[in-house]
C-alpha cells in the first residue's frame, strides 16, 4: 500500500476508516478515496500557489478588511477548526479527517476575488488546513507548507503554533431568519446581526 500510494495515504485511510478502539475493515476502494483526497489537497495548493504566496506576504498586524466571501470562508474554516480541535483532544481521528475534508470543500467552493485581502484570507485558511493535516499526513503537509511559502512567512511547520480559533471570524454580519405561518415555512429574510428584535 505504501509503495503504491505513499505513507500519507495509508495513515489517512487508517485514521479515517474507524475510531482507534474499533476494528478496521479493509476496503481497497476507500484507500483510493483517501488517495484522491490527498491529490485534491495537492492540486488545490498548486493551483492557488501565487495567491497563497501573495496572501502570506500581507501584514496581518494591520487591520485587514475582508470581503463578504472572505468573511464567509473564515467563518466556515474556523467553525470546522473548533470541531477538529475538540476531536483531536478526544482522539476521534476519523472525525478529524472528516473535518479536513470539509475544510477542503469549503476552500474549493470559496468565491474569492484577486484582492490582497482575499489572498490573505485564503492563505490563513490553507495554513490552518495544513497544520491540522500535519499530524495525520506529515509528508504532504510539510512539502506543501514549504512549497507554498508558509515556511518563509510563519516558520518551519514543526515549530509553528497550532492554529487557534479566531473568535472574530465566528461573528456574523448577517443572520437568516425563517418565516413560518401556521408552522409551515413560507420564506426567509436576511437581517443584520445587530438588528433590534422589534424590527
Amino acid at each position: 500500500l505504501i509503495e503504491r500510494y505513499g505513507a500519507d495515504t495509508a495513515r489517512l485511510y487508517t485514521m479515517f476508516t474507524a475510531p482507534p478502539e474499533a476494528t478496521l475493515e479493509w476496503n481497497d476502494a476507500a484507500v483510493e478515496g483517501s488517495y484522491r483526497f490527498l491529490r485534491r489537497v495537492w492540486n488545490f495548493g498548486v493551483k492557488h500557489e501565487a495567491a497563497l504566496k501573495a496572501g502570506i506576504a500581507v501584514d496581518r498586524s494591520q487591520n485587514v478588511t475582508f470581503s463578504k466571501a472572505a468573511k464567509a470562508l473564515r467563518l466556515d474554516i474556523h467553525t470546522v477548526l473548533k470541531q477538529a480541535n475538540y476531536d483531536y483532544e478526544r482522539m476521534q481521528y476519523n472525525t478529524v479527517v472528516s473535518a479536513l475534508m470539509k475544510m477542503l470543500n469549503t476552500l474549493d467552493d470559496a468565491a474569492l476575488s484577486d484582492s490582497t485581502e482575499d489572498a490573505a484570507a485564503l492563505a490563513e485558511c490553507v495554513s490552518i488546513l495544513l497544520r491540522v493535516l500535519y499530524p495525520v499526513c506529515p509528508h504532504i503537509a510539510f512539502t506543501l507548507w514549504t512549497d507554498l511559502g508558509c515556511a518563509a512567512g510563519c516558520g518551519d511547520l514543526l515549530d509553528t503554533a497550532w492554529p487557534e480559533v479566531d473568535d472574530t471570524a465566528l461573528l456574523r454580519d448577517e443572520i437568516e431568519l425563517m418565516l413560518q405561518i401556521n408552522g409551515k415555512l413560507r420564506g426567509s429574510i436576511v437581517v443584520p446581526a445587530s438588528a433590534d428584535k422589534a424590527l
Side-chain angles (χ1 to χ4, degrees):
L1 181 67
I2 291 172
E3 285 178 8
R4 184 172 177 185
Y5 297 109
D8 281 343
T9 298
R11 290 168 60 96
L12 184 76
Y13 171 73
T14 304
M15 291 182 176
F16 182 54
T17 305
E21 69 277 0
T23 303
L24 175 66
E25 290 186 23
W26 197 259
N27 181 334
D28 287 342
V31 175
E32 282 281 347
S34 297
Y35 179 70
R36 279 194 308 272
F37 169 72
L38 290 178
R39 197 167 55 214
R40 280 183 60 213
V41 171
W42 182 268
N43 289 339
F44 183 89
V46 170
K47 179 181 177 183
H48 299 281
E49 181 177 0
L52 291 166
K53 286 182 176 178
I56 289 165
V58 172
D59 183 6
R60 291 296 302 276
S61 64
Q62 307 297 322
N63 282 340
V64 178
T65 305
F66 293 110
S67 68
K68 190 174 182 178
K71 285 181 182 179
L73 173 64
R74 293 184 75 238
L75 170 67
D76 290 345
I77 294 294
H78 281 276
T79 301
V80 176
L81 172 61
K82 190 173 187 177
Q83 182 61 47
N85 286 344
Y86 178 68
D87 291 336
Y88 261 127
E89 289 172 11
R90 295 182 311 139
M91 292 190 290
Q92 295 296 311
Y93 303 123
N94 56 326
T95 51
V96 168
V97 176
S98 177
L100 288 163
M101 292 175 177
K102 287 179 189 174
M103 284 185 188
L104 182 60
N105 288 338
T106 300
L107 286 162
D108 268 337
D109 294 340
L112 300 176
S113 69
D114 294 332
S115 70
T116 55
E117 292 81 6
D118 281 11
L122 180 67
E124 173 194 4
C125 294
V126 170
S127 78
I128 289 171
L129 169 73
L130 292 177
R131 284 180 280 172
V132 175
L133 179 65
Y134 186 55
V136 182
C137 302
H139 304 99
I140 189 172
F142 184 85
T143 302
L144 281 172
W145 182 267
T146 305
D147 291 353
L148 298 177
C150 297
C154 306
D156 190 64
L157 182 54
L158 186 60
D159 300 323
T160 302
W162 188 255
E164 292 184 18
V165 176
D166 184 352
D167 291 330
T168 61
L170 300 179
L171 299 176
R172 297 175 185 261
D173 292 336
E174 300 174 331
I175 55 173
E176 185 177 14
L177 300 175
M178 299 297 129
L179 304 175
Q180 291 185 354
I181 299 173
N182 295 329
K184 294 187 179 181
L185 182 65
R186 298 294 182 195
S188 64
I189 184 171
V190 176
V191 298
S194 59
D196 189 277
K197 285 188 178 183
L199 295 176

